Each structure stands twice: as structure tokens, then as C-alpha cells.
Amino acid sequence: MAGVLPDTGQTTSYDVGDDADYNPAGTQLSYTVNGDNTVTDNRTGLMWRRCSQGMNDDATCTGTVATYTWTLALSQCEAETTDYGDWRLPNMKELFSIIKYEGTAPFIDQTTFPATQSSYYWSSTTYVPNTTSAMYVNFNVGYVSYFDKTNYY
């Protein structure tokens, strides 16, 4: 069922009428870990690297996460040729779609994406009110915001 926007992943009910009360199976976060250490999002059809840039592409994603300015992050993704030749920095909606609003930081499926940092990850989306800034996802608290493109995330 690719192309369906996933639910928030929240299964614990904190009040009547919150996300946990409306969790149709067809919208739950669902991933397939591929043999080449990529991940396919079964709801959106997007493919992700399992490990953050700079980490070893193995089951535990060991190593040190690399940080980049926004411009360098764009270039690094487009220059990446590991396993596939069409990698790119995800847009804000795509990156936001893998946030999991359940459990503890980092707010992402930690089994599928081991060793994801509780930190900021750039998206390819420029922040229109101030085009020297770009949108990012903060997996430490599970939100989207913007910051100057010269910062290293």
C-alpha cells in the first residue's frame, strides 16, 4: 500500500480522542529492512539508508555520524553511489514521515534505524520566509523547524 501517509506511531492513549484511538492498520509505520542495509517504507514507498551518514552500513550502524552544512548535505547525498545512484536529501515532508511519536528519543523506529542520533537532520526544503535557512527534523523531540543553512547537522 505504498503512497499512504503513515500514522504517528503513537499507540499509547493519553486522552480520549488522541492518535492512539485512531490507528487503522493500513496507516501504521511499516518498514522492510533490505539485505543491502537499506530500508523501504511500506507506506510511502521511499527507500532510506538504515545508518546515518558516516556510520558503517552494518546491522548496528557503528561509527561516527557525519555533520554537514545544508549545501554540503545536498551535495553529499547526490554524490552518494553506495548501492544506488539516485540518492538525494529528503524533503521536509518525507523526513517528517518517519518520526515515531511513541517511546523515547530519538523519536524514530530504533530497531529499523539503529543508532539514529537524538539530533537535527537536514531536509532539502528551504524555509521560504528566510531563504538563508532550511527545514530540519529534530529526532530528539520529534519536531520540524528551520535554521541557517551554514549550521552543521
PDB file of all heavy atoms in Angstrom, residues 97-135:
ATOM      1  N   SER A  97       7.903  12.194   7.838  1.00  0.00           N
ATOM      2  CA  SER A  97       7.051  10.996   7.818  1.00  0.00           C
ATOM      3  C   SER A  97       7.641   9.815   8.580  1.00  0.00           C
ATOM      4  O   SER A  97       6.921   8.858   8.863  1.00  0.00           O
ATOM      5  CB  SER A  97       6.735  10.571   6.378  1.00  0.00           C
ATOM      6  OG  SER A  97       7.843   9.919   5.777  1.00  0.00           O
ATOM      7  N   ILE A  98       8.920   9.852   8.931  1.00  0.00           N
ATOM      8  CA  ILE A  98       9.494   8.715   9.659  1.00  0.00           C
ATOM      9  C   ILE A  98       9.637   8.986  11.157  1.00  0.00           C
ATOM     10  O   ILE A  98      10.153   8.144  11.895  1.00  0.00           O
ATOM     11  CB  ILE A  98      10.834   8.242   9.052  1.00  0.00           C
ATOM     12  CG1 ILE A  98      11.899   9.321   9.088  1.00  0.00           C
ATOM     13  CG2 ILE A  98      10.611   7.709   7.638  1.00  0.00           C
ATOM     14  CD1 ILE A  98      13.281   8.847   8.645  1.00  0.00           C
ATOM     15  N   ILE A  99       9.166  10.148  11.618  1.00  0.00           N
ATOM     16  CA  ILE A  99       9.140  10.402  13.059  1.00  0.00           C
ATOM     17  C   ILE A  99       8.132   9.442  13.694  1.00  0.00           C
ATOM     18  O   ILE A  99       7.051   9.226  13.164  1.00  0.00           O
ATOM     19  CB  ILE A  99       8.738  11.853  13.376  1.00  0.00           C
ATOM     20  CG1 ILE A  99       9.808  12.823  12.882  1.00  0.00           C
ATOM     21  CG2 ILE A  99       8.521  12.040  14.879  1.00  0.00           C
ATOM     22  CD1 ILE A  99       9.423  14.277  13.037  1.00  0.00           C
ATOM     23  N   LYS A 100       8.504   8.875  14.820  1.00  0.00           N
ATOM     24  CA  LYS A 100       7.616   7.978  15.565  1.00  0.00           C
ATOM     25  C   LYS A 100       7.319   8.629  16.907  1.00  0.00           C
ATOM     26  O   LYS A 100       8.214   8.820  17.730  1.00  0.00           O
ATOM     27  CB  LYS A 100       8.280   6.620  15.775  1.00  0.00           C
ATOM     28  CG  LYS A 100       7.410   5.644  16.540  1.00  0.00           C
ATOM     29  CD  LYS A 100       8.108   4.321  16.721  1.00  0.00           C
ATOM     30  CE  LYS A 100       7.218   3.369  17.508  1.00  0.00           C
ATOM     31  NZ  LYS A 100       7.907   2.112  17.787  1.00  0.00           N
ATOM     32  N   TYR A 101       6.058   8.980  17.133  1.00  0.00           N
ATOM     33  CA  TYR A 101       5.653   9.678  18.356  1.00  0.00           C
ATOM     34  C   TYR A 101       5.275   8.703  19.456  1.00  0.00           C
ATOM     35  O   TYR A 101       4.174   8.724  19.977  1.00  0.00           O
ATOM     36  CB  TYR A 101       4.493  10.622  18.055  1.00  0.00           C
ATOM     37  CG  TYR A 101       4.924  11.771  17.185  1.00  0.00           C
ATOM     38  CD1 TYR A 101       4.715  11.745  15.819  1.00  0.00           C
ATOM     39  CD2 TYR A 101       5.582  12.867  17.735  1.00  0.00           C
ATOM     40  CE1 TYR A 101       5.132  12.787  15.016  1.00  0.00           C
ATOM     41  CE2 TYR A 101       6.005  13.910  16.937  1.00  0.00           C
ATOM     42  CZ  TYR A 101       5.777  13.862  15.588  1.00  0.00           C
ATOM     43  OH  TYR A 101       6.203  14.886  14.802  1.00  0.00           O
ATOM     44  N   GLU A 102       6.207   7.849  19.816  1.00  0.00           N
ATOM     45  CA  GLU A 102       5.991   6.867  20.863  1.00  0.00           C
ATOM     46  C   GLU A 102       7.360   6.465  21.376  1.00  0.00           C
ATOM     47  O   GLU A 102       8.315   6.386  20.600  1.00  0.00           O
ATOM     48  CB  GLU A 102       5.265   5.641  20.305  1.00  0.00           C
ATOM     49  CG  GLU A 102       4.916   4.585  21.317  1.00  0.00           C
ATOM     50  CD  GLU A 102       3.671   4.879  22.128  1.00  0.00           C
ATOM     51  OE1 GLU A 102       2.983   5.889  21.893  1.00  0.00           O
ATOM     52  OE2 GLU A 102       3.394   4.098  23.030  1.00  0.00           O
ATOM     53  N   GLY A 103       7.481   6.225  22.659  1.00  0.00           N
ATOM     54  CA  GLY A 103       8.738   5.773  23.224  1.00  0.00           C
ATOM     55  C   GLY A 103       9.612   6.927  23.671  1.00  0.00           C
ATOM     56  O   GLY A 103       9.124   7.934  24.168  1.00  0.00           O
ATOM     57  N   THR A 104      10.910   6.760  23.492  1.00  0.00           N
ATOM     58  CA  THR A 104      11.867   7.762  23.938  1.00  0.00           C
ATOM     59  C   THR A 104      12.733   8.217  22.770  1.00  0.00           C
ATOM     60  O   THR A 104      12.768   7.580  21.727  1.00  0.00           O
ATOM     61  CB  THR A 104      12.790   7.177  25.025  1.00  0.00           C
ATOM     62  OG1 THR A 104      13.477   6.044  24.482  1.00  0.00           O
ATOM     63  CG2 THR A 104      11.997   6.754  26.249  1.00  0.00           C
ATOM     64  N   ALA A 105      13.433   9.326  22.981  1.00  0.00           N
ATOM     65  CA  ALA A 105      14.313   9.863  21.942  1.00  0.00           C
ATOM     66  C   ALA A 105      15.430   8.858  21.640  1.00  0.00           C
ATOM     67  O   ALA A 105      15.900   8.178  22.547  1.00  0.00           O
ATOM     68  CB  ALA A 105      14.899  11.193  22.393  1.00  0.00           C
ATOM     69  N   PRO A 106      15.815   8.768  20.406  1.00  0.00           N
ATOM     70  CA  PRO A 106      15.331   9.513  19.251  1.00  0.00           C
ATOM     71  C   PRO A 106      13.963   8.999  18.805  1.00  0.00           C
ATOM     72  O   PRO A 106      13.691   7.804  18.863  1.00  0.00           O
ATOM     73  CB  PRO A 106      16.393   9.247  18.178  1.00  0.00           C
ATOM     74  CG  PRO A 106      16.957   7.919  18.532  1.00  0.00           C
ATOM     75  CD  PRO A 106      16.911   7.839  20.034  1.00  0.00           C
ATOM     76  N   PHE A 107      13.107   9.908  18.385  1.00  0.00           N
ATOM     77  CA  PHE A 107      11.742   9.574  18.002  1.00  0.00           C
ATOM     78  C   PHE A 107      11.688   9.069  16.569  1.00  0.00           C
ATOM     79  O   PHE A 107      11.289   9.768  15.633  1.00  0.00           O
ATOM     80  CB  PHE A 107      10.807  10.766  18.228  1.00  0.00           C
ATOM     81  CG  PHE A 107      10.550  10.984  19.687  1.00  0.00           C
ATOM     82  CD1 PHE A 107      11.282  11.919  20.401  1.00  0.00           C
ATOM     83  CD2 PHE A 107       9.624  10.220  20.359  1.00  0.00           C
ATOM     84  CE1 PHE A 107      11.080  12.101  21.756  1.00  0.00           C
ATOM     85  CE2 PHE A 107       9.407  10.391  21.719  1.00  0.00           C
ATOM     86  CZ  PHE A 107      10.146  11.334  22.423  1.00  0.00           C
ATOM     87  N   ILE A 108      12.089   7.816  16.419  1.00  0.00           N
ATOM     88  CA  ILE A 108      12.134   7.101  15.154  1.00  0.00           C
ATOM     89  C   ILE A 108      12.114   5.616  15.514  1.00  0.00           C
ATOM     90  O   ILE A 108      12.422   5.260  16.661  1.00  0.00           O
ATOM     91  CB  ILE A 108      13.413   7.486  14.364  1.00  0.00           C
ATOM     92  CG1 ILE A 108      13.363   6.963  12.926  1.00  0.00           C
ATOM     93  CG2 ILE A 108      14.669   7.057  15.095  1.00  0.00           C
ATOM     94  CD1 ILE A 108      14.469   7.521  12.033  1.00  0.00           C
ATOM     95  N   ASP A 109      11.737   4.763  14.609  1.00  0.00           N
ATOM     96  CA  ASP A 109      11.773   3.326  14.876  1.00  0.00           C
ATOM     97  C   ASP A 109      13.233   2.922  15.063  1.00  0.00           C
ATOM     98  O   ASP A 109      13.982   2.802  14.099  1.00  0.00           O
ATOM     99  CB  ASP A 109      11.135   2.558  13.718  1.00  0.00           C
ATOM    100  CG  ASP A 109      11.043   1.071  13.984  1.00  0.00           C
ATOM    101  OD1 ASP A 109      11.978   0.504  14.592  1.00  0.00           O
ATOM    102  OD2 ASP A 109      10.047   0.464  13.561  1.00  0.00           O
ATOM    103  N   GLN A 110      13.634   2.720  16.319  1.00  0.00           N
ATOM    104  CA  GLN A 110      15.033   2.486  16.640  1.00  0.00           C
ATOM    105  C   GLN A 110      15.518   1.095  16.276  1.00  0.00           C
ATOM    106  O   GLN A 110      16.726   0.856  16.204  1.00  0.00           O
ATOM    107  CB  GLN A 110      15.280   2.786  18.115  1.00  0.00           C
ATOM    108  CG  GLN A 110      15.053   4.252  18.435  1.00  0.00           C
ATOM    109  CD  GLN A 110      15.142   4.569  19.901  1.00  0.00           C
ATOM    110  OE1 GLN A 110      16.046   4.095  20.597  1.00  0.00           O
ATOM    111  NE2 GLN A 110      14.212   5.368  20.394  1.00  0.00           N
ATOM    112  N   THR A 111      14.604   0.171  16.013  1.00  0.00           N
ATOM    113  CA  THR A 111      15.006  -1.145  15.524  1.00  0.00           C
ATOM    114  C   THR A 111      15.336  -1.067  14.047  1.00  0.00           C
ATOM    115  O   THR A 111      16.323  -1.621  13.581  1.00  0.00           O
ATOM    116  CB  THR A 111      13.874  -2.172  15.762  1.00  0.00           C
ATOM    117  OG1 THR A 111      13.594  -2.219  17.157  1.00  0.00           O
ATOM    118  CG2 THR A 111      14.263  -3.546  15.260  1.00  0.00           C
ATOM    119  N   THR A 112      14.526  -0.338  13.320  1.00  0.00           N
ATOM    120  CA  THR A 112      14.732  -0.185  11.880  1.00  0.00           C
ATOM    121  C   THR A 112      15.893   0.746  11.578  1.00  0.00           C
ATOM    122  O   THR A 112      16.665   0.514  10.649  1.00  0.00           O
ATOM    123  CB  THR A 112      13.446   0.359  11.221  1.00  0.00           C
ATOM    124  OG1 THR A 112      12.372  -0.541  11.523  1.00  0.00           O
ATOM    125  CG2 THR A 112      13.592   0.476   9.728  1.00  0.00           C
ATOM    126  N   PHE A 113      16.019   1.815  12.338  1.00  0.00           N
ATOM    127  CA  PHE A 113      17.072   2.815  12.146  1.00  0.00           C
ATOM    128  C   PHE A 113      17.947   2.881  13.395  1.00  0.00           C
ATOM    129  O   PHE A 113      17.870   3.834  14.170  1.00  0.00           O
ATOM    130  CB  PHE A 113      16.455   4.187  11.859  1.00  0.00           C
ATOM    131  CG  PHE A 113      15.586   4.228  10.633  1.00  0.00           C
ATOM    132  CD1 PHE A 113      14.202   4.161  10.743  1.00  0.00           C
ATOM    133  CD2 PHE A 113      16.158   4.344   9.377  1.00  0.00           C
ATOM    134  CE1 PHE A 113      13.395   4.206   9.608  1.00  0.00           C
ATOM    135  CE2 PHE A 113      15.359   4.390   8.237  1.00  0.00           C
ATOM    136  CZ  PHE A 113      13.984   4.320   8.356  1.00  0.00           C
ATOM    137  N   PRO A 114      18.784   1.836  13.624  1.00  0.00           N
ATOM    138  CA  PRO A 114      19.594   1.807  14.846  1.00  0.00           C
ATOM    139  C   PRO A 114      20.621   2.936  14.866  1.00  0.00           C
ATOM    140  O   PRO A 114      21.114   3.360  13.825  1.00  0.00           O
ATOM    141  CB  PRO A 114      20.289   0.441  14.777  1.00  0.00           C
ATOM    142  CG  PRO A 114      20.346   0.129  13.327  1.00  0.00           C
ATOM    143  CD  PRO A 114      19.094   0.725  12.731  1.00  0.00           C
ATOM    144  N   ALA A 115      20.895   3.435  16.019  1.00  0.00           N
ATOM    145  CA  ALA A 115      21.919   4.451  16.242  1.00  0.00           C
ATOM    146  C   ALA A 115      21.585   5.808  15.625  1.00  0.00           C
ATOM    147  O   ALA A 115      22.461   6.641  15.458  1.00  0.00           O
ATOM    148  CB  ALA A 115      23.302   3.972  15.766  1.00  0.00           C
ATOM    149  N   THR A 116      20.318   6.058  15.285  1.00  0.00           N
ATOM    150  CA  THR A 116      19.934   7.400  14.842  1.00  0.00           C
ATOM    151  C   THR A 116      20.182   8.354  16.002  1.00  0.00           C
ATOM    152  O   THR A 116      19.833   8.057  17.146  1.00  0.00           O
ATOM    153  CB  THR A 116      18.449   7.449  14.422  1.00  0.00           C
ATOM    154  OG1 THR A 116      18.263   6.585  13.308  1.00  0.00           O
ATOM    155  CG2 THR A 116      18.013   8.858  14.064  1.00  0.00           C
ATOM    156  N   GLN A 117      20.785   9.464  15.701  1.00  0.00           N
ATOM    157  CA  GLN A 117      21.124  10.433  16.730  1.00  0.00           C
ATOM    158  C   GLN A 117      19.890  11.206  17.195  1.00  0.00           C
ATOM    159  O   GLN A 117      19.002  11.499  16.399  1.00  0.00           O
ATOM    160  CB  GLN A 117      22.151  11.431  16.193  1.00  0.00           C
ATOM    161  CG  GLN A 117      23.412  10.777  15.674  1.00  0.00           C
ATOM    162  CD  GLN A 117      24.171  10.066  16.767  1.00  0.00           C
ATOM    163  OE1 GLN A 117      24.690  10.707  17.673  1.00  0.00           O
ATOM    164  NE2 GLN A 117      24.240   8.753  16.697  1.00  0.00           N
ATOM    165  N   SER A 118      19.840  11.534  18.467  1.00  0.00           N
ATOM    166  CA  SER A 118      18.793  12.404  19.012  1.00  0.00           C
ATOM    167  C   SER A 118      19.212  13.833  18.696  1.00  0.00           C
ATOM    168  O   SER A 118      19.645  14.583  19.565  1.00  0.00           O
ATOM    169  CB  SER A 118      18.638  12.201  20.514  1.00  0.00           C
ATOM    170  OG  SER A 118      18.136  10.933  20.791  1.00  0.00           O
ATOM    171  N   SER A 119      19.097  14.181  17.431  1.00  0.00           N
ATOM    172  CA  SER A 119      19.645  15.443  16.979  1.00  0.00           C
ATOM    173  C   SER A 119      18.909  15.925  15.731  1.00  0.00           C
ATOM    174  O   SER A 119      17.855  15.400  15.378  1.00  0.00           O
ATOM    175  CB  SER A 119      21.142  15.260  16.676  1.00  0.00           C
ATOM    176  OG  SER A 119      21.748  16.506  16.445  1.00  0.00           O
ATOM    177  N   TYR A 120      19.520  16.916  15.063  1.00  0.00           N
ATOM    178  CA  TYR A 120      18.941  17.546  13.887  1.00  0.00           C
ATOM    179  C   TYR A 120      19.399  16.846  12.612  1.00  0.00           C
ATOM    180  O   TYR A 120      20.579  16.509  12.472  1.00  0.00           O
ATOM    181  CB  TYR A 120      19.372  19.014  13.800  1.00  0.00           C
ATOM    182  CG  TYR A 120      19.130  19.805  15.056  1.00  0.00           C
ATOM    183  CD1 TYR A 120      20.190  20.247  15.838  1.00  0.00           C
ATOM    184  CD2 TYR A 120      17.834  20.120  15.457  1.00  0.00           C
ATOM    185  CE1 TYR A 120      19.963  20.990  16.987  1.00  0.00           C
ATOM    186  CE2 TYR A 120      17.601  20.859  16.599  1.00  0.00           C
ATOM    187  CZ  TYR A 120      18.671  21.289  17.364  1.00  0.00           C
ATOM    188  OH  TYR A 120      18.444  22.021  18.496  1.00  0.00           O
ATOM    189  N   TYR A 121      18.470  16.680  11.667  1.00  0.00           N
ATOM    190  CA  TYR A 121      18.761  16.122  10.348  1.00  0.00           C
ATOM    191  C   TYR A 121      18.175  17.065   9.305  1.00  0.00           C
ATOM    192  O   TYR A 121      16.975  17.359   9.330  1.00  0.00           O
ATOM    193  CB  TYR A 121      18.145  14.726  10.200  1.00  0.00           C
ATOM    194  CG  TYR A 121      18.908  13.645  10.937  1.00  0.00           C
ATOM    195  CD1 TYR A 121      18.846  13.527  12.319  1.00  0.00           C
ATOM    196  CD2 TYR A 121      19.697  12.730  10.237  1.00  0.00           C
ATOM    197  CE1 TYR A 121      19.545  12.540  12.993  1.00  0.00           C
ATOM    198  CE2 TYR A 121      20.399  11.730  10.893  1.00  0.00           C
ATOM    199  CZ  TYR A 121      20.320  11.641  12.277  1.00  0.00           C
ATOM    200  OH  TYR A 121      21.017  10.654  12.940  1.00  0.00           O
ATOM    201  N   TRP A 122      19.034  17.535   8.404  1.00  0.00           N
ATOM    202  CA  TRP A 122      18.585  18.453   7.352  1.00  0.00           C
ATOM    203  C   TRP A 122      17.581  17.809   6.417  1.00  0.00           C
ATOM    204  O   TRP A 122      17.668  16.632   6.114  1.00  0.00           O
ATOM    205  CB  TRP A 122      19.775  18.879   6.478  1.00  0.00           C
ATOM    206  CG  TRP A 122      20.698  19.895   7.050  1.00  0.00           C
ATOM    207  CD1 TRP A 122      22.041  19.745   7.265  1.00  0.00           C
ATOM    208  CD2 TRP A 122      20.377  21.234   7.442  1.00  0.00           C
ATOM    209  NE1 TRP A 122      22.565  20.911   7.769  1.00  0.00           N
ATOM    210  CE2 TRP A 122      21.570  21.842   7.889  1.00  0.00           C
ATOM    211  CE3 TRP A 122      19.203  21.980   7.453  1.00  0.00           C
ATOM    212  CZ2 TRP A 122      21.623  23.154   8.346  1.00  0.00           C
ATOM    213  CZ3 TRP A 122      19.253  23.286   7.917  1.00  0.00           C
ATOM    214  CH2 TRP A 122      20.447  23.863   8.360  1.00  0.00           C
ATOM    215  N   SER A 123      16.653  18.607   5.924  1.00  0.00           N
ATOM    216  CA  SER A 123      15.818  18.242   4.788  1.00  0.00           C
ATOM    217  C   SER A 123      16.263  19.112   3.613  1.00  0.00           C
ATOM    218  O   SER A 123      17.024  20.064   3.795  1.00  0.00           O
ATOM    219  CB  SER A 123      14.329  18.494   5.089  1.00  0.00           C
ATOM    220  OG  SER A 123      14.013  19.866   4.947  1.00  0.00           O
ATOM    221  N   SER A 124      15.792  18.823   2.426  1.00  0.00           N
ATOM    222  CA  SER A 124      16.159  19.625   1.253  1.00  0.00           C
ATOM    223  C   SER A 124      15.298  20.879   1.112  1.00  0.00           C
ATOM    224  O   SER A 124      15.506  21.670   0.202  1.00  0.00           O
ATOM    225  CB  SER A 124      16.031  18.775  -0.012  1.00  0.00           C
ATOM    226  OG  SER A 124      14.681  18.396  -0.212  1.00  0.00           O
ATOM    227  N   THR A 125      14.363  21.078   2.019  1.00  0.00           N
ATOM    228  CA  THR A 125      13.384  22.150   1.910  1.00  0.00           C
ATOM    229  C   THR A 125      13.905  23.475   2.464  1.00  0.00           C
ATOM    230  O   THR A 125      14.240  23.575   3.644  1.00  0.00           O
ATOM    231  CB  THR A 125      12.085  21.766   2.649  1.00  0.00           C
ATOM    232  OG1 THR A 125      11.634  20.497   2.171  1.00  0.00           O
ATOM    233  CG2 THR A 125      11.005  22.811   2.459  1.00  0.00           C
ATOM    234  N   THR A 126      13.965  24.479   1.598  1.00  0.00           N
ATOM    235  CA  THR A 126      14.339  25.826   2.016  1.00  0.00           C
ATOM    236  C   THR A 126      13.179  26.450   2.784  1.00  0.00           C
ATOM    237  O   THR A 126      12.006  26.253   2.448  1.00  0.00           O
ATOM    238  CB  THR A 126      14.686  26.691   0.787  1.00  0.00           C
ATOM    239  OG1 THR A 126      15.894  26.172   0.215  1.00  0.00           O
ATOM    240  CG2 THR A 126      14.883  28.149   1.143  1.00  0.00           C
ATOM    241  N   TYR A 127      13.504  27.198   3.831  1.00  0.00           N
ATOM    242  CA  TYR A 127      12.491  27.904   4.618  1.00  0.00           C
ATOM    243  C   TYR A 127      12.155  29.202   3.876  1.00  0.00           C
ATOM    244  O   TYR A 127      12.953  30.136   3.840  1.00  0.00           O
ATOM    245  CB  TYR A 127      13.044  28.187   6.020  1.00  0.00           C
ATOM    246  CG  TYR A 127      12.077  28.890   6.927  1.00  0.00           C
ATOM    247  CD1 TYR A 127      10.875  28.297   7.292  1.00  0.00           C
ATOM    248  CD2 TYR A 127      12.377  30.148   7.433  1.00  0.00           C
ATOM    249  CE1 TYR A 127       9.994  28.943   8.142  1.00  0.00           C
ATOM    250  CE2 TYR A 127      11.497  30.801   8.288  1.00  0.00           C
ATOM    251  CZ  TYR A 127      10.308  30.191   8.639  1.00  0.00           C
ATOM    252  OH  TYR A 127       9.434  30.826   9.470  1.00  0.00           O
ATOM    253  N   VAL A 128      10.982  29.273   3.270  1.00  0.00           N
ATOM    254  CA  VAL A 128      10.618  30.360   2.351  1.00  0.00           C
ATOM    255  C   VAL A 128      10.646  31.753   2.989  1.00  0.00           C
ATOM    256  O   VAL A 128      11.144  32.694   2.366  1.00  0.00           O
ATOM    257  CB  VAL A 128       9.257  30.063   1.678  1.00  0.00           C
ATOM    258  CG1 VAL A 128       8.809  31.231   0.824  1.00  0.00           C
ATOM    259  CG2 VAL A 128       9.364  28.798   0.856  1.00  0.00           C
ATOM    260  N   PRO A 129      10.181  31.957   4.219  1.00  0.00           N
ATOM    261  CA  PRO A 129      10.243  33.317   4.778  1.00  0.00           C
ATOM    262  C   PRO A 129      11.671  33.857   4.932  1.00  0.00           C
ATOM    263  O   PRO A 129      11.868  35.061   5.022  1.00  0.00           O
ATOM    264  CB  PRO A 129       9.559  33.179   6.139  1.00  0.00           C
ATOM    265  CG  PRO A 129       8.650  32.021   5.981  1.00  0.00           C
ATOM    266  CD  PRO A 129       9.400  31.069   5.083  1.00  0.00           C
ATOM    267  N   ASN A 130      12.644  32.956   5.002  1.00  0.00           N
ATOM    268  CA  ASN A 130      14.049  33.368   5.116  1.00  0.00           C
ATOM    269  C   ASN A 130      14.875  32.341   4.350  1.00  0.00           C
ATOM    270  O   ASN A 130      15.251  31.306   4.903  1.00  0.00           O
ATOM    271  CB  ASN A 130      14.479  33.419   6.581  1.00  0.00           C
ATOM    272  CG  ASN A 130      15.930  33.797   6.743  1.00  0.00           C
ATOM    273  OD1 ASN A 130      16.649  34.017   5.773  1.00  0.00           O
ATOM    274  ND2 ASN A 130      16.377  33.863   7.986  1.00  0.00           N
ATOM    275  N   THR A 131      15.152  32.613   3.091  1.00  0.00           N
ATOM    276  CA  THR A 131      15.758  31.611   2.219  1.00  0.00           C
ATOM    277  C   THR A 131      17.216  31.293   2.537  1.00  0.00           C
ATOM    278  O   THR A 131      17.806  30.430   1.894  1.00  0.00           O
ATOM    279  CB  THR A 131      15.624  32.023   0.738  1.00  0.00           C
ATOM    280  OG1 THR A 131      16.255  33.293   0.561  1.00  0.00           O
ATOM    281  CG2 THR A 131      14.162  32.079   0.330  1.00  0.00           C
ATOM    282  N   THR A 132      17.798  31.945   3.543  1.00  0.00           N
ATOM    283  CA  THR A 132      19.127  31.539   4.002  1.00  0.00           C
ATOM    284  C   THR A 132      19.018  30.411   5.025  1.00  0.00           C
ATOM    285  O   THR A 132      20.033  29.922   5.523  1.00  0.00           O
ATOM    286  CB  THR A 132      19.911  32.719   4.614  1.00  0.00           C
ATOM    287  OG1 THR A 132      19.212  33.183   5.772  1.00  0.00           O
ATOM    288  CG2 THR A 132      20.093  33.846   3.600  1.00  0.00           C
ATOM    289  N   SER A 133      17.781  29.990   5.309  1.00  0.00           N
ATOM    290  CA  SER A 133      17.525  28.898   6.248  1.00  0.00           C
ATOM    291  C   SER A 133      16.863  27.731   5.532  1.00  0.00           C
ATOM    292  O   SER A 133      16.281  27.885   4.467  1.00  0.00           O
ATOM    293  CB  SER A 133      16.599  29.366   7.382  1.00  0.00           C
ATOM    294  OG  SER A 133      17.220  30.360   8.154  1.00  0.00           O
ATOM    295  N   ALA A 134      16.967  26.550   6.147  1.00  0.00           N
ATOM    296  CA  ALA A 134      16.324  25.344   5.615  1.00  0.00           C
ATOM    297  C   ALA A 134      15.637  24.601   6.753  1.00  0.00           C
ATOM    298  O   ALA A 134      15.957  24.788   7.930  1.00  0.00           O
ATOM    299  CB  ALA A 134      17.349  24.447   4.932  1.00  0.00           C
ATOM    300  N   MET A 135      14.704  23.734   6.394  1.00  0.00           N
ATOM    301  CA  MET A 135      13.941  22.959   7.368  1.00  0.00           C
ATOM    302  C   MET A 135      14.747  21.736   7.818  1.00  0.00           C
ATOM    303  O   MET A 135      15.521  21.172   7.042  1.00  0.00           O
ATOM    304  CB  MET A 135      12.622  22.489   6.756  1.00  0.00           C
ATOM    305  CG  MET A 135      11.767  23.598   6.162  1.00  0.00           C
ATOM    306  SD  MET A 135      11.208  24.824   7.337  1.00  0.00           S
ATOM    307  CE  MET A 135      10.086  23.863   8.330  1.00  0.00           C
TER     308      MET A 135
END
